[in-house]
Amino acid sequence: MVTLADIETARRTIAGHVLRTPLLAAPPLSALTGAAVFVKYENLQVTNSFKERGACVKLAALSAEERRRGVIAMSAGNHAQAVAYHARRLAIPATIVMPVTTPFVKIKATEMLGGTVILDGETVAEAQTRAEVIASAANLVWVHPYDDPQIIAGQGTIALEMLEDSPELDVLVIPIGGGGLVAGCAIAARAKKPSIEIVGVEAALYPSMWNAVRKGSRPCGGATLAEGIAVTNVGKLTLPIVRDCVSDIILVDEALIERAVNAFLTLQKAMAEGAGAAGLAAMLAEPDRFRGRKVGLILCGGNIDPRILASIMVRELERADRIASFRLTIPDRPGILGQIATTLGELGANILSVDHHRLFLDVPAKGAKLDVTVETRDAAHAEEIFRAFAAAGYQPVHMPSGTARE
């Protein structure tokens, strides 16, 4: 069992090697959720995630002979970078097995930090199988991402810092993959403040800890934005800690994770990957549970593919009707497109794209379909544009603008 004393020792080990990140009030997120939200910015670490804490503690404890042999780890990205970074600092050779589904930005970052990357398997569990084979054959030291006492102790230092900075916190909402972060933080927080509530969060596509705690059988699998917590096998060490210390586990769907990532960027001007935003997604999923309480969130990682982030921002604009698409039935003659553009300009809409369809059989030979996508102020503005098109006789139909409408 990991104890508060172990976590205090871990804090002394990482001092000077891992950033003591700020815990700051987040008024925009508080307004969004109805709670008093405080954010621990672990995305400010050198490798942009909390994983540096556990990796630093584990690698610092290795003997000279173990360091000479080298280490191996499996990871979807953040643990990989943390191990590579601190291994290079300590002159330890590091091999990292990553799933083939890992975002390129995380693979490249791990290589730039000095790690030797091997891509294998669709999931972290499959990558672990390959890593275990390599570790045995090459006599490498295993650095597990979550099921290791030193890793758990290192991650627990986050909660120590949070409660030192804001001892009035009522609840911590913590993402769960294999359970190292939530286990370490739960031990530290409950030791320092027994009344505090710990709530875990998992992606709905990967409810592995939820299944283990509740003896459930929800399926695990699928493409999730929160690949950092897309774990099918929970830790043997972390599971009993979660059972004892975590009051509940909230499952969040992909749309809520997207919304949380977008909220961190647009409201807090902070970069969050899917797993890093999972705590906020849980608050959006169950606002009544947290309303009026002082809630600590851990923005545990900011390593998100820029292309995915751009897509999320556009999708959220559409969900808010800030981007709207219409299909119009128009006469196919000169000047019509100019009239439509003039109407949109007078209504204050910004045209993003226009596409003609002249071969559709549900319009006369002298007619056409016109798809127009515009930027709007809000849903009411989009509806005003729709009514204007209808009044002009264009028979408008709301259309998806390249992303799914909900």
Side-chain angles (χ1 to χ4, degrees):
M1 175 63 72
V2 177
T3 66
L4 177 62
D6 296 324
I7 297 170
E8 294 280 11
T9 298
R11 180 160 63 170
R12 291 191 290 272
T13 298
I14 68 174
H17 304 297
V18 174
L19 180 66
R20 192 191 192 286
T21 55
L23 177 76
L24 302 175
L29 300 185
S30 298
L32 178 67
T33 61
V37 178
F38 296 78
V39 178
K40 180 70 165 170
Y41 288 95
E42 285 295 293
N43 62 330
L44 297 179
Q45 299 291 354
V46 173
T47 62
N48 306 116
S49 95
F50 77 99
K51 290 288 191 176
E52 283 193 34
R53 295 171 180 266
C56 180
V57 173
K58 177 67 175 180
L59 296 178
L62 297 182
S63 67
E65 191 273 334
E66 288 173 324
R67 296 186 184 195
R68 180 190 58 77
R69 283 159 46 196
V71 299
I72 188 168
M74 97 290 191
S75 168
N78 290 339
H79 181 63
Q81 292 174 64
V83 171
Y85 173 66
H86 286 285
R88 183 174 65 180
R89 182 177 64 81
L90 296 168
I92 302 172
T95 300
I96 315 293
V97 183
M98 307 179 80
V100 297
T101 53
T102 302
F104 177 75
V105 64
K106 294 186 177 182
I107 298 170
K108 187 65 175 178
T110 303
E111 292 175 335
M112 291 181 66
L113 290 168
T116 299
V117 175
I118 297 172
L119 299 178
D120 194 280
E122 291 290 324
T123 66
V124 172
E126 292 176 4
Q128 178 174 347
T129 300
R130 177 69 184 280
E132 289 172 345
V133 171
I134 296 171
S136 178
N139 196 27
L140 302 178
V141 177
W142 182 248
V143 182
H144 198 281
Y146 50 84
D147 215 21
D148 182 293
Q150 290 165 322
I151 296 290
I152 294 170
Q155 320 308 27
T157 61
I158 296 173
L160 288 185
E161 295 173 6
M162 293 178 75
L163 286 174
E164 284 177 353
D165 292 346
S166 293
E168 72 277 11
L169 290 174
D170 298 317
V171 56
L172 302 183
V173 187
I174 303 175
I176 298 179
L181 175 63
V182 72
C185 287
I187 292 169
R190 294 292 293 276
K192 286 291 186 179
K193 186 176 182 179
S195 64
I196 197 166
E197 183 183 13
I198 310 296
V199 175
V201 190
E202 288 187 297
L205 290 174
Y206 288 85
S208 53
M209 188 67 78
W210 190 96
N211 281 338
V213 170
R214 300 192 179 201
K215 295 181 169 52
S217 57
R218 289 175 178 260
C220 284
T224 177
L225 179 62
E227 74 280 341
I229 53 174
V231 174
T232 55
N233 299 317
V234 302
K236 294 179 181 178
L237 298 180
T238 61
L239 175 57
I241 299 171
V242 171
R243 281 184 176 142
D244 289 344
C245 300
V246 176
S247 64
D248 197 7
I249 298 173
I250 298 174
L251 304 180
V252 291
D253 63 27
E254 294 302 299
L256 282 174
I257 297 172
E258 289 183 29
R259 186 182 172 198
V261 168
N262 185 71
F264 268 118
L265 185 63
T266 58
L267 300 180
Q268 290 300 123
K269 305 301 182 283
M271 191 84 77
E273 61 188 85
L280 178 57
M283 296 186 70
L284 298 175
E286 298 189 16
D288 290 343
R289 175 195 288 259
F290 303 104
R291 186 170 288 113
R293 304 178 73 188
K294 295 178 180 177
V295 180
L297 299 181
I298 303 171
L299 201 174
C300 58
N303 292 307
I304 187 170
D305 189 319
R307 295 173 301 171
I308 299 296
L309 182 58
S311 175
I312 289 169
M313 294 179 70
V314 172
R315 290 164 66 90
E316 288 304 305
L317 285 172
E318 189 182 351
R319 288 188 175 108
D321 283 311
R322 293 283 304 283
I323 292 178
S325 288
F326 309 94
R327 174 163 289 173
L328 312 179
T329 301
I330 63 173
D332 193 10
R333 64 171 186 258
I336 293 298
L337 187 57
Q339 293 175 22
I340 292 171
T342 298
T343 297
L344 289 170
E346 291 173 346
L347 291 170
N350 183 36
I351 299 173
L352 299 179
S353 67
V354 176
D355 193 12
H356 273 92
H357 303 281
R358 290 183 170 85
L359 300 180
F360 286 1
L361 298 180
D362 61 345
V363 294
K366 291 186 178 181
K369 294 288 188 182
L370 183 74
D371 290 348
V372 57
T373 300
V374 297
E375 184 179 6
T376 65
R377 293 188 296 272
D378 51 29
H381 190 204
E383 188 58 31
E384 180 185 3
I385 295 167
F386 183 91
R387 291 195 302 269
F389 284 150
Y394 297 138
Q395 303 171 44
V397 176
H398 281 292
M399 297 292 292
S401 57
T403 55
R405 290 180 63 88
E406 294 188 351

